[in-house]
Amino acid sequence: MARTQAKTAQETLMEDFQTLVRDTERLLDHTATLAGDQADELRSQIHETLLRARETLKLTEDSVRERGQAAVIATEEYVQANPWQSVGIAAGVGFLIGLLATRR
């Protein structure tokens, strides 16, 4: 479920950035021909799109941060519940890293 939410948030973020790019390109294309009011309207549309993109980015960041904290808590609980298994895993990983480092 969290993976689906992250994917949806990522897709929304990408759509917002694509809209921002299109609006910016339109602004650049029409800068020479637009009157003051038309340019202001297009700038406000770009500003609104940018705000939506920032909000979506913030939501995605918060979601990733929450999942990261949940992973840290789960890891700490596992280590506290199974200290000897954790030591064994850490020793095994250290041994493998040592083997890989000496192969160079």
Side-chain angles (χ1 to χ4, degrees), residues 89-101:
I89 291 170
V93 170
F95 179 74
L96 289 175
I97 291 174
L99 281 177
L100 293 173

Side-chain angles (χ1 to χ4, degrees), residues 10-77:
Q10 182 181 14
E11 290 170 356
T12 304
L13 182 62
M14 290 303 297
E15 289 172 7
D16 286 345
F17 279 122
Q18 289 171 351
T19 303
L20 178 64
V21 168
R22 281 193 306 269
D23 289 347
T24 304
E25 288 173 348
R26 280 183 29 213
L27 177 63
L28 292 174
D29 290 341
H30 294 96
T31 300
T33 61
L34 291 178
D37 292 339
Q38 291 173 332
D40 290 340
E41 181 182 338
L42 191 55
R43 281 188 202 106
S44 69
Q45 289 175 356
I46 292 171
H47 182 69
E48 290 173 13
T49 304
L50 182 59
L51 288 177
R52 278 193 313 241
R54 284 182 182 168
E55 289 173 7
T56 305
L57 183 61
K58 178 66 175 156
L59 291 174
T60 304
E61 178 184 356
D62 292 342
S63 172
V64 168
R65 182 172 288 130
E66 288 174 9
R67 285 186 284 141
Q69 288 175 347
V72 167
I73 290 170
T75 303
E76 288 177 353
E77 288 174 356

